[in-house]
C-alpha cells in the first residue's frame, strides 16, 4: 500500500489529509500540545522541505468533513529522493503523526532531535502491489533478509525489504519513470541481479543491474483525416520514418508507446512531410538546426 499521507498518480503527487489519523496538534508559536478534537478546521496546508516549510503556500482542497487533498506536479519537486513534511491546520497548528506511522522521521531543530515530535516522510519510490517495478530474486531460500537498493532510493540499505516467495524473494515498487541502477543485498552481501543481463560497471569493479521504468504515452495528431499515412518519429526510435504508423481515429491520428523518463524530441511525418506537433508549444533545436517538438516523461 502507498505510504500514509500521499500517493503518486501519473505525473502528480497527491497529498491526502484525514483528520481521523491525528489526535494531537502543536501550536506554531507556543509549542503547546493540544487535542485535535477541540479544534475546528478552517484550512489545511502541506508544509515540508520541498516548500521551505511554508505554512501558507500549499493550501489543500476540502473533500468532505474529514479529508483534504492537494495535487502537485512532479515538476514542483527537485530530484531528491525523500522529503519530510507535515500538515498545518489554520496556518497555526501542526498535526502530529503517531510514532507508529510507517513513514515518519524524528523531527530535528538546529541539528538536535525533538523528543516525541515526528514528521511524515515522502518518497518518490515506495512499495505498492500495483506499482510499475517488480523485482524478483530466485533462490536464496535460506537467506534471512533480502533488500533491494538502488539509485531510486539513494542506495538505502534497509528501506526496501523483499518478501519471501515460494521460489525466492520479490517486491513491487512504485517508481517515477527513469533508468536506475540497483543491486540486491542478501544477508548483508551485495550482488547484482543474476537474471538481468542489463548491467553497468560500478566504482568497486563490480556490476550494478539496470532497470528502465517506462510509461505509456499517447501521441495525438489532430485533423488531417484525408492523409494517407501519418508516422510518429523521434529520438526514442532513432527517427525511423516507417516504424510507428499512427492509427486514424474520428478526430485525427494517435499512437501509444512506452517511453523512459526524460526528454524526448519528436515530429510527425504526414504523407512524407515532417511537421511539429501543432498542439505542443514546447520545441527545441536539435544539433542539426532542426526544430522538434519536445515531450518530457516524469
Amino acid at each position: 500500500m502507498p505510504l500514509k499521507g500521499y500517493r503518486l498518480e501519473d505525473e502528480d503527487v497527491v497529498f491526502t489529509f484525514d483528520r481521523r489519523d491525528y489526535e494531537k496538534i502543536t501550536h506554531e508559536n507556543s509549542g503547546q500540545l493540544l487535542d485535535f478534537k477541540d479544534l475546528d478546521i478552517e484550512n489545511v496546508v502541506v508544509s515540508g522541505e520541498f516548500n521551505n516549510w511554508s505554512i501558507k503556500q500549499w493550501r489543500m482542497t476540502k473533500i468532505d468533513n474529514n479529508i483534504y487533498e492537494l495535487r502537485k506536479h512532479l515538476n514542483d519537486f527537485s530530484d531528491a529522493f525523500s522529503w519530510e513534511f507535515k500538515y498545518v491546520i489554520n496556518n497555526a497548528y501542526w498535526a502530529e503523526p503517531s510514532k507508529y506511522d510507517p513513514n515518519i522521521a524524528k523531527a530535528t531543530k538546529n541539528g538536535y532531535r525533538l523528543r516525541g515530535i515526528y514528521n511524515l516522510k515522502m518518497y518518490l519510490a515506495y512499495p505498492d502491489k500495483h506499482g510499475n517495478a517488480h523485482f524478483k530474486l530466485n533462490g536464496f531460500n535460506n537467506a534471512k533478509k533480502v533488500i533491494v537498493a538502488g539509485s531510486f532510493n539513494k542506495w538505502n540499505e534497509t528501506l526496501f525489504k523483499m518478501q519471501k516467495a515460494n521460489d525466492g524473494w520479490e517486491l513491487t515498487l512504485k517508481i517515477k519513470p527513469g533508468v536506475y541502477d540497483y543491486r540486491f543485498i542478501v544477508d548483508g552481501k551485495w550482488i547484482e541481479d543474476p537474471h538481468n543481463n542489463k548491467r553497468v560497471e560500478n566504482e568497486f569493479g563490480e556490476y550494478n543491474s539496470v532497470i528502465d521504468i517506462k510509461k505509456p504515452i499517447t501521441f495525438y495528431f489532430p485533423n488531417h483525416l484525408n492523409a494517407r499515412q501519418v508516422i510518429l518519429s523521434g529520438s526514442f526510435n532513432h527517427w525511423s520514418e516507417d516504424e510507428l504508423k499512427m492509427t486514424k481515429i474520428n478526430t485525427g491520428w494517435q499512437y501509444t508507446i512506452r517511453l523512459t523518463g526524460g526528454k524526448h524530441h519528436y515530429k510527425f511525418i504526414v504523407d512524407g512531410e515532417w511537421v511539429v506537433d501543432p498542439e505542443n508549444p514546447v520545441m527545441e533545436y536539435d544539433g542539426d538546426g532542426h526544430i522538434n517538438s519536445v515531450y518530457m516523461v516524469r
Side-chain angles (χ1 to χ4, degrees):
M1 293 294 292
L3 298 174
K4 183 186 294 185
Y6 74 96
R7 64 186 184 274
L8 298 183
E9 285 188 0
D10 297 326
E11 297 184 4
D12 294 332
V13 177
V14 182
F15 293 96
T16 302
F17 171 81
D18 189 335
R19 71 170 299 157
R20 294 166 295 189
D21 292 333
Y22 299 87
E23 296 180 354
K24 299 292 184 179
I25 53 175
T26 301
H27 192 272
E28 161 74 9
N29 294 326
S30 69
Q32 185 179 7
L33 190 66
L34 305 170
D35 289 334
F36 199 171
K37 64 182 180 180
D38 298 330
L39 185 70
D40 292 328
I41 296 180
E42 297 175 3
N43 65 73
V44 182
V45 171
V46 182
S47 177
E49 294 176 314
F50 36 69
N51 63 3
N52 294 319
W53 293 100
S54 170
I55 63 174
K56 294 182 179 180
Q57 290 181 359
W58 289 18
R59 186 163 177 167
M60 307 183 77
T61 299
K62 185 176 182 179
I63 305 300
D64 58 34
N65 288 334
N66 294 305
I67 297 175
Y68 291 72
E69 283 196 350
L70 176 68
R71 185 179 295 268
K72 301 295 289 187
H73 198 278
L74 286 172
N75 285 344
D76 294 313
F77 302 88
S78 68
D79 290 333
F81 165 65
S82 66
W83 298 266
E84 294 184 17
F85 73 100
K86 264 185 177 177
Y87 293 109
V88 186
I89 316 302
N90 302 344
N91 305 118
Y93 299 91
W94 298 81
E96 296 297 344
S98 167
K99 65 180 180 180
Y100 301 109
D101 282 346
N103 56 317
I104 62 169
K106 288 186 176 181
T108 61
K109 185 175 183 179
N110 298 326
Y112 295 95
R113 289 184 175 180
L114 301 177
R115 184 175 181 181
I117 303 298
Y118 298 89
N119 296 328
L120 291 168
K121 292 207 71 172
M122 187 186 84
Y123 304 92
L124 288 189
Y126 57 80
D128 187 338
K129 64 180 180 181
H130 302 298
N132 54 3
H134 184 72
F135 295 89
K136 180 70 180 290
L137 178 63
N138 292 329
F140 298 91
N141 295 319
N142 295 325
K144 296 180 180 178
K145 183 171 65 175
V146 178
I147 303 291
V148 59
S151 54
F152 46 76
N153 70 350
K154 291 190 175 179
W155 300 98
N156 189 296
E157 300 181 28
T158 61
L159 188 62
F160 293 150
K161 185 177 180 179
M162 301 184 72
Q163 300 162 351
K164 190 73 175 291
N166 292 332
D167 54 351
W169 301 79
E170 59 186 1
L171 181 66
T172 301
L173 300 177
K174 179 77 171 181
I175 307 175
K176 73 173 184 176
V179 178
Y180 303 96
D181 293 1
Y182 72 96
R183 302 190 86 190
F184 297 121
I185 311 174
V186 182
D187 290 340
K189 181 181 179 181
W190 292 74
I191 65 170
E192 63 183 275
D193 186 342
H195 309 293
N196 183 358
N197 57 12
K198 296 181 179 179
R199 62 180 192 169
V200 293
E201 189 171 1
N202 60 32
E203 63 269 32
F204 304 107
E206 299 178 329
Y207 289 92
N208 297 334
S209 300
V210 177
I211 186 171
D212 186 354
I213 306 299
K214 296 184 177 182
K215 180 179 180 179
I217 303 296
T218 297
F219 288 90
Y220 172 70
F221 185 64
N223 304 318
H224 294 79
L225 297 178
N226 293 327
R228 296 187 302 273
Q229 187 179 67
V230 179
I231 304 293
L232 171 64
S233 181
S235 54
F236 41 76
N237 70 342
H238 305 290
W239 297 99
S240 170
E241 300 182 29
D242 55 19
E243 179 185 359
L244 305 180
K245 297 178 174 63
M246 302 185 74
T247 300
K248 184 188 292 187
I249 59 176
N250 291 336
T251 58
W253 302 75
Q254 70 178 19
Y255 192 94
T256 300
I257 182 173
R258 296 185 67 86
L259 296 180
T260 190
K263 181 190 295 185
H264 302 274
H265 285 196
Y266 70 98
K267 275 185 174 179
F268 301 112
I269 310 175
V270 185
D271 290 338
E273 180 182 357
W274 291 74
V275 297
V276 295
D277 188 340
E279 297 197 336
N280 182 1
V282 182
M283 293 179 285
E284 287 183 352
Y285 282 98
D286 61 17
D288 298 321
H290 303 126
I291 296 178
N292 302 317
S293 297
V294 176
Y295 195 99
M296 291 293 298
V297 178
R298 295 180 174 86

